[in-house]
């Protein structure tokens, strides 16, 4: 939403872009969002999912858009890139996990990393990597793409998601959306 508004070049969009710039710089200067550590009932998995799926890709897109439009000084751009890198590495899932989920009643075991939470994390990594020109972060997304698609059955289904009973269609949709995000980021980088 905000990123597209900044391409409009109207007086109201310029105000929106200035407010977005102020917001991003405040977040970066204060190292926000910070991990919740005082709540013993917090879910680290949910926290990582929220940042990777709902915050980091959007913050990266907005930052990249404002940077492209010339809203930041070079020092501000450096600060923002460092901040985005820090968020990406702080909130990412363990993409090197070789653990397997066992669905013996369904006749398969799969790498944990093939499922949607890892894909959303990889999308966040890839977004940031693309913007800050960090090949290691970018490659997390490419690796995730291959790992998830390697689990696909001949009929096109993804067993990790189809094993979820009545929620299978919802999880499959989420996974396909996340895979499309990876594909679009990769396509934008050639």
């Amino acid at each position: 939403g905000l990123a597209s508004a900044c391409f409009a070049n109207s007086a109201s969009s310029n105000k929106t872009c200035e407010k977005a710039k102020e917001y991003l710089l405040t977040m970066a200067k204060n190292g926000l969002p910070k991990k919740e550590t005082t709540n013993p009932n917090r879910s680290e998995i949910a926290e990582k999912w929220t940042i990777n799926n709902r915050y980091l890709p959007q913050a990266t897109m907005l930052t990249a858009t404002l940077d492209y439009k010339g809203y930041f000084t070079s020092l501000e751009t450096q600060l923002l890139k460092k901040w985005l890198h820090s968020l990406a590495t702080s909130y990412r899932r363990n993409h090197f996990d070789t653990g397997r989920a066992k669905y013996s009643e369904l006749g398969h075991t799969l790498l944990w990393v093939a499922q949607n939470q890892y894909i959303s994390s990889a999308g966040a990594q890839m977004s940031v990597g693309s913007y800050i020109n960090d090949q290691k972060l970018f490659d997390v997304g490419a690796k995730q793409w291959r790992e998830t698609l390697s689990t696909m059955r001949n009929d096109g289904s993804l067993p990790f998601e189809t094993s979820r009973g009545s929620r299978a269609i919802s999880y499959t949709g989420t996974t396909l959306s996340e895979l499309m995000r990876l594909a679009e980021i990769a396509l934008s980088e050639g």
Side-chain angles (χ1 to χ4, degrees), residues 87-170:
L87 287 176
T89 57
S90 296
Y91 286 95
R92 72 176 157 205
R93 297 298 302 259
N94 179 4
H95 293 278
F96 308 102
D97 186 352
T98 57
R100 298 184 82 78
K102 294 180 180 169
Y103 292 96
S104 47
E105 72 278 4
L106 300 170
H108 60 82
T109 64
L110 297 169
L111 285 170
W112 273 113
V113 297
Q115 57 102 357
N116 67 77
Q117 289 189 17
Y118 288 90
I119 303 168
S120 67
S121 176
Q125 306 300 298
M126 195 178 210
S127 296
V128 173
S130 176
Y131 171 58
I132 70 171
N133 200 24
D134 183 314
Q135 192 65 47
K136 281 177 79 173
L137 287 179
F138 183 85
D139 288 346
V140 170
K143 179 180 181 261
Q144 181 69 53
W145 170 264
R146 288 188 296 277
E147 286 186 349
T148 301
L149 288 182
S150 75
T151 69
M152 186 180 283
R153 294 181 180 125
N154 290 339
D155 67 2
S157 65
L158 297 163
F160 206 112
E161 308 308 353
T162 57
S163 298
R164 296 176 185 259
S166 63
R167 297 166 303 171
I169 197 74
S170 174

Side-chain angles (χ1 to χ4, degrees), residues 33-44 47 91:
K34 293 184 188 221
K35 287 187 176 185
E36 171 60 64
T37 56
T38 59
N39 180 356
N41 298 318
R42 80 172 175 65
S43 166
E44 188 174 347
E47 191 173 52
Y91 286 95

Side-chain angles (χ1 to χ4, degrees), residues 12-65:
S12 65
S13 72
N14 289 337
K15 283 185 195 177
T16 300
C17 296
E18 286 295 333
K19 285 198 176 287
K21 171 187 174 180
E22 183 181 319
Y23 166 80
L24 290 168
L25 289 172
T26 298
M27 296 297 280
K29 287 174 185 171
N30 293 297
L32 299 172
K34 293 184 188 221
K35 287 187 176 185
E36 171 60 64
T37 56
T38 59
N39 180 356
N41 298 318
R42 80 172 175 65
S43 166
E44 188 174 347
I45 291 171
E47 191 173 52
K48 286 181 177 183
W49 183 87
T50 300
I51 295 297
N52 286 314
N53 203 42
R54 300 283 188 239
Y55 187 79
L56 191 52
Q58 294 80 354
T60 304
M61 174 66 79
L62 182 57
T63 303
T65 300

